[in-house]
Amino acid sequence: MVMEYEQLVRQAGGGDVKAFVELTRRFQQFAFGSALMVRDFQNAEDVVQEAFVAAWSGLPSLADPAAFPGWLRGIVRHHAFRVLRRKQLSAVPLADAEAVPDEEPLPDHILDARRQAAAALAAISELPDRLRGPATLFFVHECSHQDVATFLGLSVVTVNNRLHAARSHLKQRILTMVTDTLHAHALPNDFANRIGRLIETRGDVVDALFDPAALPDLMTELTVSDEARKNGLKVHVMQRPGGGVVRGLAASALPLLPKGATVLSSRRRPQGAIDPMQLDRLVPLLAAATSDERQTDEVVETGIKVIDVMCPIRAGGSVAIAGEYGTGNTVVMEEIVRRISRSVYPVTMFVLIPPPSEVWPPSLDENYSFADALKAEGYSEGTVGAVQTFFLRGVDGPWTAETLASLAAVDTIVHLSRDMILCKTYPASTCGRHARD
């Protein structure tokens, strides 16, 4: 089916996010096929992500909508060349593909999949330049010859001839392997649904709106398009309050951004712990918004004795849960939420989650979803009734006196420790602090 895209380009250039989502859906596999020049599926997906951010920023300046395919292809190639220069990747001869070393021992099925992927990319890379583009686009998603021609700016006859020549270069066994592998690694069908729009910014806090059926995961990264500066700003997802709204924390100071700016969900998980200075700014901003200034010296009793005695939670105040993997961070969060969500006074809670670690292997799975894991346990996402919960990246390993001191902006700290678990104390809380004591 011949693409009908020019009207979408005009609408998207005028700021229509829905039109841009549809444009992304139509061209995402073509962009991905072009990005495979980096010879790595994950890097290619990152290139496509960056390319569509840049495309959204540049669309208003595109004078001829009919030029969109070639224009987008140029943006993809630009970002792909940046990756190649940065990593200085080298092509792997097809004969040597199975000997590519892995950085760590892997299960046999994962190792076989990686070897097959390397072999497929190597086979494609050995095709002559003029054949590589049409072959990759066709094999990735069985794009029609007409659509391949449109994207590459070639005639259908030329595409037909080059695809025939590409098949001749690839022996039948290799052709089948390449086709199957590229199909298996194509962009997910929901890639276009990762696009949202900016609602507002408050300090370092960013509110974006997504399709409620395709929300970005908690503890993942968003990219906000800064059209004026031709840049993409990174945002960490810390809350999903409902109605398709996603609340995030900007990784750096935010410039003035227009409402409606494009926000892309990368599904990538940020690694570093939150900066103490940023937390100092964040806590009063979110606590004030949550409490509506209704603060008091009263204590909200949870019924969890060790918390009520050692680290009481102030009505209208803030509390942080800081612990290692295996100490029950989300268990304690859920218990607190269930016990105080009907309180008259609101409470702002920050749950500090450790970065992915071998201590808890599921966290290392690239397909792991933090929100799905909460749901599987029957837990909420912590924002219920009087309680507003925000998930932030904590430290790697045990919390020390120094790292706990970095949470000084929070009224109360619930510190969960493995040492206390060994003493059969639950919750495994070793200390707490009430900032107003």
Side-chain angles (χ1 to χ4, degrees), residues 14 45 151 164 182 259 263 267 301 339 371 377 415 434-435 437:
E45 186 169 336
F151 188 73
H164 178 75
L182 294 189
K259 291 183 179 180
V263 184
R267 301 197 301 189
E301 293 190 2
R339 292 164 184 259
E377 293 291 338
H415 174 211
H434 198 285
D437 284 354

Side-chain angles (χ1 to χ4, degrees), residues 8 11-25 56 59 192 194-198 209-210 259-264:
L8 289 172
Q11 293 171 346
D16 187 331
V17 176
K18 288 185 178 179
F20 185 67
V21 171
E22 181 58 30
L23 204 58
T24 301
R25 184 174 290 109
W56 173 257
L59 264 177
R194 299 182 196 174
I195 299 174
R197 65 178 185 270
L198 183 68
L209 184 65
F210 284 82
K259 291 183 179 180
T262 295
V263 184
L264 295 178

Side-chain angles (χ1 to χ4, degrees), residues 63 69 78 101 156 160 164-165 180 185-186 190 193 214 234 261 273 333 338 392 436:
H78 170 73
V156 176
N160 289 342
H164 178 75
D180 291 345
H185 289 83
D190 69 345
N193 290 333
K234 304 302 181 185
M333 172 210 76
R338 291 181 182 183
L392 302 172
R436 297 182 181 273

